[in-house]
Amino acid sequence: MICPVVTRIAAAAFAVFASSGMLMAQFSMTASSSPLNFSYATNQTLPIDLTTNITSQVTGFVNISVSDNLAGLVAVSPNTAFVSTSPTVLTVRLTNPSQATTQRSGELRVTSGTAGLSSLVIPINLYPGGVTGGTSALNASPSSVSMTYTPNTVGQVQFAVTLSSVYFGSLTPTLSFPLSQYMYVTPNPVSSQSTFTLYLNPQFAPTTTATSGTLTLTPTSTSSGLPTLTIPITISPFGASTSNILASPSSISFNSILLTQNVTLTSPVTTSLIASPSANLGNWITVPSLISSNGTFIIGLSNIQAFPNGTSGSITLSPVNAGTGLNPVTIPITITPGTASGALSANPTSLTFSYGIGTTNRIDQTLSTTSAFTTLLTASLTPSLASSISV
């Protein structure tokens, strides 16, 4: 009677072991970051490190390596580790980004030799970009946002923005106050090569006045090569209007002496403006090709001689992007050339030569001239001095 009991107990133990074996085969390791994406400039020589935490419900030793196509470019530390429910940190290093000039993909392999623990594969992607400091590192289309809404209504207003970049990476969106009280961004974070959506809730937005602010996109990794990007935002309830651009000074005068002036602009939205002079001023007005709506620029008159009798005109500054909600600003211009007298001056205004009788050494003096114009002058002496003085 004892033997059958022992046999049944042994059979039961085997069944539990077999059942446990089946359960153990289902355990797997997990990684806190997967895939691992390296975005970098092709002139970057300093190594870039990314980390991922490995956890497992089954303890055991693992071997860690990278796929052959990444050998010599990517290294991992440590190469062996003991995994458990406590995170094991793996550091994956792109040793010299300047040598990885083409986009490629490979794997980080965490191989288990423990029964009941499956191996783990983490994709690794290399995204070489342009040169650090490039002006097109991150672009938004459109570059500014203008949204209108009906106050106190149910339902959200949406606005899509597309990002493009030579770098691949994630960015954290941050809305300025008070926009953050009734707007949000999805997805969060956003990819540098994707489209995200701004949502506005009219129930909580201002009912009578337009509101301006910004959306700032900040790289989640300092090694991504991505810059921080700020996008101006204006929201307006139907029936409201945004403030105009203000220019200081509000009008400009040119004369034969004053041929350039500084103009300072302020506005509720920072955006680019393009200048259009009135037809009678033609191409004689000089300004930058693009002007910031919040900043100072120089306006000049290239040739006052083109207006011998003086004239009046204007220059109009208009937003490049019509979606900003800003109205164009027109700055009046007055040109007063003045008369010819006083346009040329000499310093000193007279010359006196003192010398001893019989002196043979030449005596020199310097005469300086100034004028509002640059032109060639002809010097002539009175007949009584022509034989003794040369210029």
Side-chain angles (χ1 to χ4, degrees), residues 169-232:
S170 297
L171 303 121
T172 300
T174 304
L175 287 159
S176 63
F177 184 86
L179 297 182
S180 58
Q181 303 301 300
Y182 34 80
M183 295 184 68
Y184 67 94
V185 175
T186 186
N188 185 356
V190 301
S191 168
S192 60
Q193 300 173 0
S194 68
T195 298
F196 66 89
T197 304
L198 280 160
Y199 289 89
L200 166 66
N201 190 337
Q203 285 183 296
F204 304 104
T207 58
T208 58
T209 59
T211 304
S212 298
T214 58
L215 171 66
T216 301
L217 302 175
T218 307
T220 56
S221 171
T222 56
S223 63
S224 67
L226 291 166
T228 297
L229 179 66
T230 300
I231 302 175

Side-chain angles (χ1 to χ4, degrees), residues 276-352:
S276 303
S278 55
N280 63 318
L281 298 184
N283 297 322
W284 304 116
I285 295 296
T286 60
V287 291
S289 56
L290 290 177
I291 300 168
S292 173
S293 60
N294 278 298
T296 300
F297 70 96
I298 298 176
I299 181 171
L301 180 63
S302 61
N303 186 4
I304 197 171
Q305 298 179 58
F307 306 97
N309 300 317
T311 189
S312 296
S314 63
I315 187 168
T316 300
L317 308 177
S318 304
V320 174
N321 188 338
T324 60
L326 293 176
N327 296 321
V329 58
T330 298
I331 304 174
I333 297 176
T334 302
I335 300 175
T336 308
T339 61
S341 61
L344 178 65
S345 60
N347 183 31
T349 57
S350 63
L351 298 175
T352 300

Side-chain angles (χ1 to χ4, degrees), residues 13-23:
F14 178 79
V16 171
F17 177 80
S19 177
S20 297
M22 292 176 63
L23 290 173

Side-chain angles (χ1 to χ4, degrees), residues 227-283:
T228 297
L229 179 66
T230 300
I231 302 175
I233 297 176
T234 300
I235 62 169
S236 305
F238 286 114
S241 61
T242 60
S243 301
N244 292 326
I245 304 169
L246 300 179
S248 179
S250 57
S251 61
I252 295 174
S253 296
F254 291 114
N255 55 47
S256 58
I257 303 299
L258 185 61
L259 296 176
T260 61
Q261 288 200 45
N262 292 335
V263 178
T264 299
L265 302 177
T266 56
S267 91
V269 177
T270 300
T271 188
S272 295
L273 309 175
I274 189 170
S276 303
S278 55
N280 63 318
L281 298 184
N283 297 322

